[in-house]
Amino acid sequence: MRGVKSPGIASCRAAHVRSSEGKEYQSAEGVKSSNYRGSGGIRLASQPASSIPSNNECVTPTRRRHPSSFTDETIAGIEFSLTTDTFNETSMPPVASADPQTAHLHPKLSHNQGTHTFTGDLAGVGTSSYTMQYLEDGTLLFNGYLVFIGTIAKLRDVLPVEEDTVRGSLVINATGECGGNMVTTNWTVDERSGRGAFARVKGSGGSKSSGGMIAEGWLELEF
């Protein structure tokens, strides 16, 4: 990093500096760093000792952009397997009624919570919470949320960052139907729900399974 000449430390716009007297300085942008006073100047913690600036010099640290700000690309063809490891279903109580003759009018509803493992282009773990409705014809309708925490392989091909930093979480809004032996789910991702490397990510997708514990899924995401 090249130092930026300034009349003194107090006027340097590089962020947070602790002097030997315990004083603190902060730039108008509010940027903070682990700068500390060296011999006759300031040095970044990650800066080699050989590049310590001379008197009345300071170093302006570079802001690290969030990984998702590097691109506005759309990544299609994200494919993965979703394994349901555990699930727990509890029936919702019927609506309270003083008339026993209305008992047959109460629909059958339940809550389901599960844990999941993702493999493929999505690699990680997840949890889900669904509300389910059993129709009289035997069809099961459900909607709720699925949380994914892990990595997206194809995202590493787009962002110029280290693999360890391409990690985050997505909250997926899922609606689906189970009829016969086929379970079909539609997914949407709101751009306000992601965290970490997946902040501001949005998209859609879905999954299908033939009634077993493993579903095959796909996503198209915008970064």
Side-chain angles (χ1 to χ4, degrees), residues 11-30:
S11 61
C12 176
R13 298 184 67 188
H16 190 90
V17 179
R18 289 187 175 87
S19 70
S20 57
E21 294 80 18
K23 296 180 180 179
E24 295 184 350
Y25 301 91
Q26 182 170 332
S27 70
E29 292 85 0

Side-chain angles (χ1 to χ4, degrees), residues 56-109:
N56 295 329
E57 283 188 316
C58 63
V59 175
T60 303
T62 302
R63 286 177 184 260
R64 181 178 178 84
R65 290 198 299 169
H66 194 280
S68 63
S69 68
F70 281 107
T71 180
D72 294 323
E73 295 191 28
T74 297
I75 302 179
I78 299 174
E79 299 179 350
F80 54 92
S81 294
L82 171 63
T83 301
T84 298
D85 301 313
T86 65
F87 68 94
N88 180 32
E89 182 177 356
T90 56
S91 297
M92 295 177 60
V95 177
S97 174
D99 185 359
Q101 297 184 5
T102 63
H104 67 286
L105 300 178
H106 298 298
K108 181 181 179 181
L109 301 173

Side-chain angles (χ1 to χ4, degrees), residues 14-18 30-36 42-45 59 61:
H16 190 90
V17 179
R18 289 187 175 87
V31 183
K32 294 186 178 181
S33 69
S34 56
N35 296 357
Y36 61 87
I42 304 170
R43 181 166 72 89
L44 287 174
V59 175

Side-chain angles (χ1 to χ4, degrees), residues 30-221:
V31 183
K32 294 186 178 181
S33 69
S34 56
N35 296 357
Y36 61 87
R37 179 183 291 275
S39 175
I42 304 170
R43 181 166 72 89
L44 287 174
S46 59
Q47 184 180 5
S50 60
S51 60
I52 299 176
S54 59
N55 287 336
N56 295 329
E57 283 188 316
C58 63
V59 175
T60 303
T62 302
R63 286 177 184 260
R64 181 178 178 84
R65 290 198 299 169
H66 194 280
S68 63
S69 68
F70 281 107
T71 180
D72 294 323
E73 295 191 28
T74 297
I75 302 179
I78 299 174
E79 299 179 350
F80 54 92
S81 294
L82 171 63
T83 301
T84 298
D85 301 313
T86 65
F87 68 94
N88 180 32
E89 182 177 356
T90 56
S91 297
M92 295 177 60
V95 177
S97 174
D99 185 359
Q101 297 184 5
T102 63
H104 67 286
L105 300 178
H106 298 298
K108 181 181 179 181
L109 301 173
S110 65
H111 288 300
N112 184 294
Q113 292 183 314
T115 60
H116 311 276
T117 301
F118 291 78
T119 56
D121 292 337
L122 263 64
V125 296
T127 60
S128 63
S129 178
Y130 296 114
T131 299
M132 302 188 295
Q133 178 185 3
Y134 291 86
L135 304 181
E136 292 185 346
D137 64 0
T139 304
L140 170 65
L141 304 179
F142 58 90
N143 63 81
Y145 291 94
L146 173 65
V147 178
F148 164 75
I149 299 178
T151 61
I152 301 177
K154 293 191 176 184
L155 179 58
R156 295 197 295 267
D157 299 333
V158 175
L159 299 183
V161 294
E162 299 83 0
E163 180 176 342
D164 290 344
T165 65
V166 190
R167 182 176 297 275
S169 65
L170 293 175
V171 179
I172 301 164
N173 187 351
T175 61
E177 179 176 331
C178 176
N181 292 327
M182 182 62 65
V183 181
T184 304
T185 309
N186 295 316
W187 292 3
T188 57
V189 178
D190 191 290
E191 63 183 344
R192 298 165 294 182
S193 64
R195 295 188 177 186
F198 309 149
R200 298 182 297 279
V201 170
K202 63 180 179 180
S204 60
S207 66
K208 287 185 178 182
S209 71
S210 57
M213 304 299 285
I214 301 178
E216 300 301 322
W218 63 94
L219 276 175
E220 179 176 294
L221 298 177

